[in-house]
Amino acid sequence: MSHILHAILTFILSVEFIIGNLGNAFMALVNIMDLVKRGKISSVDQILTGLAISRITLFWSLLTSLLVSSIYTALMISGKLMIIIKIFWTVTNHFSIWLATCLSIFYFLKIANFSNSIFLYLKWRVKKVVSLTLVVSFLILFLNILVINRCIDVWIDGHGANMSYRAISSNSAQFSRLVLLVNTMFTLIPFTVTLAMFLLLIFSLWRHLKNMQLHAKGSRDVSITAHVKALRTVVAFLLLYTVFFLSLLSLCWNVDFKHKDLIALFSQSMGMAFPSAHSCLLILENRKLSQSLLSVLRWMKCRLKGIWGIS
């Protein structure tokens, strides 16, 4: 039974990896082509492009980490290489999370409607707010790496810098969990910011939706539908982000279960659902991206008809 579950979870991870790479590559390619064609790119497209590129890098860093952890006994991977992989994952995960946070801040300031003077001040300076958020994220990344390097120094002092991965396999698992715990604690910062932004946005959309329903007549039904769609999108994003954060916490949980490997694989598949499914959600909800996707699908349909001789 455990072998079947392992195969199913591995298949799910593989599908998430393929969909995530295709979705993010499509999103980045469309925006880059639009930049080349028009010579300019909007603020939200800049964030989406950066987010897509960071997530593609994150997927490949995760794949590298999984491959190393599964075949290290044959290759005798050194502790130094493992450290490089952990640091690389830290950086890619950081930018993926913080760019998603910048996107949530951008949508909140653009869509939400509050009469508070502080909100209005920030709303008119949304680009500066996003830029400042990115600057702060760089400082947090620097602090995150400092903490991890300190953990690495302590770990190396205890086990030796040139010891093989096999010789310290039991202790390296504890080290990996420690690095993940540090990253999870730093992920708590953008997660809290995003949670606050989207809860406020949900409240604003819900309040505005109630007011529109009370006075809805004729043409306003279209506006109500648009707000309901936006509300569903925000809730879906929040659920995916929450699942991602909970998956990180579960991977840090050091409990000796009978099928610990299966639980870790399940947590990894749940965590990868966020960068994979959210990218698909962004494509479907973005007018330019969804129209480009339809154009690609029509082109593929015509090509297939030509190949198979279907009229």
Side-chain angles (χ1 to χ4, degrees):
M1 185 64 181
S2 61
H3 294 293
I4 297 175
L5 289 175
H6 190 278
I8 293 172
L9 291 173
T10 303
F11 175 76
I12 293 173
L13 273 172
S14 301
V15 172
E16 289 174 338
F17 177 81
I18 294 170
I19 292 176
N21 274 285
L22 290 176
N24 285 291
F26 175 79
M27 189 159 54
L29 185 61
V30 169
N31 286 326
I32 291 172
M33 290 176 64
D34 192 53
L35 172 62
V36 173
K37 182 179 178 180
R38 300 176 184 274
K40 60 180 180 179
I41 186 171
S42 64
S43 298
V44 66
D45 286 341
Q46 290 178 22
I47 299 172
L48 289 174
T49 305
L51 180 62
I53 294 172
S54 67
R55 282 177 169 173
I56 292 171
T57 312
L58 174 64
F59 279 123
W60 284 99
S61 69
L62 286 171
L63 179 64
T64 302
S65 180
L66 287 173
L67 288 175
V68 168
S69 63
S70 62
I71 60 176
Y72 69 87
T73 52
L75 297 179
M76 297 291 288
I77 300 299
S78 67
K80 286 183 178 180
L81 181 56
M82 185 186 69
I83 291 167
I84 292 173
I85 292 172
K86 297 300 179 184
I87 294 294
F88 184 64
W89 179 84
T90 298
V91 174
T92 56
N93 181 67
H94 174 91
F95 283 113
S96 175
I97 293 298
W98 274 99
L99 285 168
T101 302
C102 289
L103 188 64
S104 69
I105 294 172
F106 183 89
Y107 283 147
F108 168 70
L109 294 177
K110 282 290 185 179
I111 300 174
N113 186 19
F114 293 100
S115 58
N116 184 275
S117 58
I118 297 176
F119 172 80
L120 294 175
Y121 176 84
L122 296 175
K123 188 180 183 70
W124 285 103
R125 295 162 177 81
V126 59
K127 292 183 180 180
K128 291 184 178 179
V129 173
V130 172
S131 298
L132 181 60
T133 303
L134 284 174
V135 172
V136 172
S137 75
F138 276 104
L139 296 176
I140 293 174
L141 175 61
F142 179 72
L143 182 60
N144 190 358
I145 292 176
L146 281 181
V147 174
I148 290 177
N149 281 336
R150 178 56 185 164
C151 295
I152 289 172
D153 291 338
V154 173
W155 182 71
I156 288 176
D157 289 341
H159 303 95
N162 296 316
M163 291 182 69
S164 68
Y165 199 110
R166 177 183 293 175
I168 54 172
S169 58
S170 60
N171 293 308
S172 65
Q174 297 176 3
F175 168 72
S176 298
R177 190 177 293 110
L178 177 61
V179 171
L180 185 61
L181 179 62
V182 172
N183 287 329
T184 303
M185 293 302 102
F186 277 95
T187 302
L188 183 61
I189 300 172
F191 175 75
T192 304
V193 173
T194 302
L195 183 63
M197 294 296 102
F198 274 126
L199 288 178
L200 288 171
L201 180 56
I202 289 171
F203 173 74
S204 176
L205 288 172
W206 177 80
R207 186 182 61 179
H208 190 57
L209 181 62
K210 288 296 181 182
N211 290 334
M212 290 171 61
Q213 285 176 338
L214 290 174
H215 306 92
K217 291 182 180 179
S219 61
R220 291 194 178 183
D221 291 340
V222 177
S223 184
I224 290 175
T225 303
H227 277 75
V228 170
K229 184 178 179 181
L231 197 59
R232 287 201 303 262
T233 303
V234 169
V235 171
F237 175 87
L238 199 58
L239 289 175
L240 286 170
Y241 203 165
T242 303
V243 169
F244 172 78
F245 186 74
L246 291 176
S247 70
L248 290 180
L249 288 177
S250 65
L251 287 170
C252 298
W253 197 15
N254 186 17
V255 179
D256 190 18
F257 289 109
K258 183 178 179 181
H259 301 291
K260 185 187 291 187
D261 292 339
L262 283 176
I263 294 172
L265 196 60
F266 175 76
S267 298
Q268 289 169 351
S269 64
M270 294 297 290
M272 283 186 69
F274 173 54
S276 180
H278 180 235
S279 300
C280 296
L281 184 65
L282 287 173
I283 293 172
L284 294 175
E285 297 300 331
N286 186 286
R287 187 174 181 180
K288 181 180 72 176
L289 293 174
S290 60
Q291 288 178 347
S292 299
L293 179 61
L294 287 175
S295 299
V296 171
L297 292 176
R298 290 194 199 99
W299 177 82
M300 291 178 64
K301 183 179 179 181
C302 292
R303 293 291 294 176
L304 288 174
K305 284 184 177 180
I307 292 173
W308 294 101
I310 302 174
S311 57

